[in-house]
């Protein structure tokens, strides 16, 4: 069964510092990978996605992620965070064989400190 | 373009009662997905509907059910409510043929069972 592991449940970071959120998935077949952000009391918003092609994917709000097939990872990065980046971030994976279902990681809560 | 809309925003029910949650997808989207986000349990896949049919179901008991209407809106019904059903229920939609582009989520219905 497919699974997604987000290695850090919480990441405190100072404003203007870089941040990396780690995500690993379990699969040996082709996958589609996503990062979503959830601000307090809101739904999920798509940050970026990897479908194919270049392994470095750029998303909204200055975020980017790198797909590494050999390490089955899809880590999310931002070179300089803002207070407004305080939110929960979810990595997700889908496999066509799984019938369109998105499987989510447990989430990483990012707290940006002034 | 209107996003995915869910109603009600909040719902308080007593244990044993039934809850009905509603979702309107983005115009033109035929697929609707339901997820449960319970405290400490992350996002759990509940149901996927497309063209009025249930296409996939997560590991939830039969008292969780739903349907999709001809206009592609959807209902999630939870019967015989239990305290542990308290959660944020998120609905998402996508075009079936573009499912791998990611889902668009609504803001959710927060169900509290007392």
């Amino acid at each position: 069964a497919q699974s997604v592991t987000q290695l850090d449940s919480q990441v405190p970071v100072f404003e203007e510092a870089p941040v990396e959120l780690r995500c690993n998935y379990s699969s040996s077949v082709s996958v589609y990978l996503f990062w979503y952000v959830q601000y307090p009391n809101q739904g999920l918003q798509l940050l970026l996605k990897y479908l194919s092609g270049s392994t470095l994917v750029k998303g909204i709000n200055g975020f980017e992620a790198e797909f590494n097939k050999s390490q089955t990872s899809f880590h999310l990065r931002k070179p300089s965070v803002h207070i407004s980046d305080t939110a929960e971030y979810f990595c997700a994976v889908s496999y066509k064989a799984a019938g369109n279902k998105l499987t989510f990681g447990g989430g990483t809560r990012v707290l940006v400190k002034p | 373009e209107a996003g995915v809309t869910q109603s009600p925003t909040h719902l308080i029910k007593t244990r044993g009662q039934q809850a009905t949650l509603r979702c309107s997808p983005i115009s033109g989207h035929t697929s609707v997905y339901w997820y449960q986000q319970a405290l400490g349990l992350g996002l759990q896949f509940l149901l996927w509907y497309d063209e009025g049919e249930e296409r996939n179901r997560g590991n939830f008991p039969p008292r969780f059910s739903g349907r999709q209407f001809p206009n592609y809106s959807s209902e999630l019904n939870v019967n015989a409510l239990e305290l542990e059903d308290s959660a944020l229920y998120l609905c998402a939609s996508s075009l079936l043929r573009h499912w791998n582009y990611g889902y668009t989520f609504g803001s959710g219905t927060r169900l509290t069972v007392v």
Side-chain angles (χ1 to χ4, degrees):
Chain A
Q2 58 270 22
S3 66
V4 181
T5 302
Q6 292 183 242
L7 297 165
D8 306 295
S9 59
Q10 291 189 65
V11 173
V13 58
F14 286 105
E15 195 173 15
E16 297 184 7
V19 70
E20 178 181 81
L21 309 183
R22 296 179 292 170
C23 172
N24 288 87
Y25 63 93
S26 65
S27 175
S28 60
V29 300
S30 295
V31 298
Y32 303 117
L33 296 156
F34 307 83
W35 276 99
Y36 284 85
V37 60
Q38 185 177 33
Y39 298 105
N41 300 314
Q42 293 188 28
L44 274 69
Q45 179 183 2
L46 181 65
L47 272 178
L48 49 80
K49 57 181 178 280
Y50 172 80
L51 303 181
S52 65
S54 173
T55 57
L56 184 63
V57 180
K58 293 191 182 298
I60 62 172
N61 301 342
F63 284 93
E64 64 180 32
E66 186 157 16
F67 170 61
N68 188 318
K69 188 174 182 179
S70 63
Q71 297 186 7
T72 61
S73 68
F74 190 55
H75 300 334
L76 180 72
R77 302 184 184 95
K78 185 170 183 177
S80 176
V81 297
H82 303 290
I83 296 289
S84 59
D85 292 321
T86 294
E88 188 153 22
Y89 294 79
F90 292 91
C91 181
V93 61
S94 66
Y95 313 80
K96 195 166 187 178
N100 293 22
K101 184 179 71 175
L102 266 183
T103 299
F104 286 88
T108 298
R109 193 172 299 275
V110 173
L111 175 60
V112 181
K113 302 177 181 180
Chain B
E1 177 185 85
V4 177
T5 57
Q6 292 187 244
S7 63
T9 306
H10 293 85
L11 189 59
I12 300 175
K13 291 286 186 178
T14 303
R15 193 170 58 179
Q17 286 187 316
Q18 178 193 33
T20 298
L21 288 62
R22 297 178 176 85
C23 173
S24 293
I26 287 175
S27 177
H29 284 190
T30 62
S31 280
V32 171
Y33 312 84
W34 288 95
Y35 281 80
Q36 182 196 64
Q37 187 177 21
L39 199 62
L41 295 179
L43 283 148
Q44 303 296 320
F45 170 74
L46 265 166
L47 290 159
W48 168 36
Y49 291 96
D50 185 78
E51 295 285 359
E53 293 188 12
E54 182 180 303
R55 300 297 184 109
N56 202 351
R57 182 182 181 86
N59 188 24
F60 280 83
R63 57 190 187 81
F64 286 84
S65 65
R67 55 180 172 167
Q68 186 179 35
F69 300 97
N71 66 353
Y72 304 117
S73 67
S74 177
E75 263 182 12
L76 174 69
N77 295 293
V78 188
N79 294 318
L81 284 165
E82 300 179 2
L83 295 178
E84 51 265 35
D85 296 333
S86 294
L88 181 67
Y89 289 83
L90 291 166
C91 172
S93 72
S94 75
L95 285 167
L96 177 61
R97 62 182 181 278
H98 290 156
W99 64 273
N100 57 332
Y101 281 64
Y103 305 164
T104 301
F105 281 86
S107 297
T109 293
R110 185 162 297 281
L111 173 63
T112 302
V113 183
V114 297

